[in-house]
Amino acid sequence: MSKLLSEWSPSEPALNLIKFNGVDGEQIQKSLEYLKGQKDLSDIDDVDGYDNWDAFFIMFCIKASGKSINPN
């Protein structure tokens, strides 16, 4: 799988987990557009602590929405 953000789309399981944590589709779309617009962020290796875009995107969306991660 490519590590380039410009070629990436969130997986269905990642989207389901984000929605499960109360983030709506509009917020998800805004987060995706924002991240893809970041010129300093192109490769997942540029992000400390993450080895794939799905994991980073899940945390980014949840934090951007102000929701807390559902422990269940």
Side-chain angles (χ1 to χ4, degrees):
M1 182 163 107
S2 174
K3 291 185 177 186
L4 296 178
L5 181 59
S6 63
E7 298 172 3
W8 172 83
S9 292
S11 69
E12 193 66 31
L15 292 172
N16 289 340
L17 183 58
I18 295 166
K19 290 176 185 175
F20 180 73
N21 281 281
V23 181
D24 64 31
E26 183 179 345
Q27 180 65 42
I28 293 170
Q29 187 60 36
K30 286 180 182 178
S31 294
L32 185 59
E33 289 172 7
Y34 175 82
L35 284 178
K36 287 197 173 203
Q38 299 304 301
K39 301 301 177 200
D40 295 341
L41 203 60
S42 63
D43 191 290
I44 192 62
D45 292 337
D46 297 337
V47 183
D48 288 337
Y50 293 94
D51 62 356
N52 67 69
W53 286 117
D54 274 344
F56 177 71
F57 189 63
I58 290 166
M59 294 307 296
F60 183 85
C61 283
I62 292 169
K63 287 181 179 183
S65 73
K67 308 281 183 187
S68 61
I69 296 177
N70 189 329
N72 298 323

